Amino acid sequence: MRHLDAELVGFRTQFLGQVGDWDGAAFTEFDLNDLAPTDSSMLVDGYQALAIAFEKRILEFNDHPNSEAYSSVVSGCISCHQKACPGPLERIAKRELP
Ligand code: HEC
């Protein structure tokens, strides 16, 4: 999860900085269903559906990296975190594009 967050920061910085585009940006694909939540109450109903929907957003970004696909990934982070683990929401909000 931390590496996903680091990738978001990297792509966002690339886009907003001197490079100004999304060239070469691609998330490392991994299976969120393999994630072992520290607290099993995090395995809320619908977790798997959220994980599958999120993976689709990742694949779409990797196929066509652009601002819209990036924002769709960030809202995927938010949807799952609102349900499963609200702690990092404040941090994730900072990944939105200005
Ligand atoms: C399908 C659900 C889901 C999605 C989507 C998701 N997360 Fe998480 N995330 C979790 C769960 C569950 C935990 C808690 C894991 C644990 O406690 O082991 C977590 C933990 C975290 C943490 C704190 C723990 C750590 O490893 O530092 C951060 C930060 C985080 N997520 C950021 C993100 C970002 C950024 C995205 C989008 C790129 C994202 N998450 C997408 C479910 C999700």
Side-chain angles (χ1 to χ4, degrees), residues 5-60:
D5 189 45
E7 285 177 343
L8 279 182
V9 174
F11 302 157
R12 187 177 181 279
T13 307
Q14 168 183 335
F15 176 68
L16 296 175
Q18 288 180 350
V19 181
D21 63 34
W22 300 99
D23 279 3
F27 290 97
T28 312
E29 290 160 28
F30 78 111
D31 189 354
L32 279 168
N33 286 305
D34 279 352
L35 199 77
T38 36
D39 175 350
S40 59
S41 71
M42 282 174 181
L43 284 173
V44 290
D45 290 344
Y47 181 86
Q48 202 182 1
L50 284 164
I52 291 166
F54 182 73
E55 279 160 23
K56 251 186 83 188
R57 290 170 192 239
I58 293 278
L59 292 179
E60 278 163 16

Side-chain angles (χ1 to χ4, degrees), residues 1-2 4-5 8 27 32 35-39 42 47 50-51 54 58 73-74 76-78 80-81 84-85 88 91-92 95:
M1 200 104 290
R2 271 169 225 258
L4 260 184
D5 189 45
L8 279 182
F27 290 97
L32 279 168
L35 199 77
T38 36
D39 175 350
M42 282 174 181
Y47 181 86
L50 284 164
F54 182 73
I58 293 278
V73 169
V74 176
C77 310
I78 294 170
C80 187
H81 274 269
C85 163
R91 181 158 153 192
I92 295 170
R95 309 300 177 236

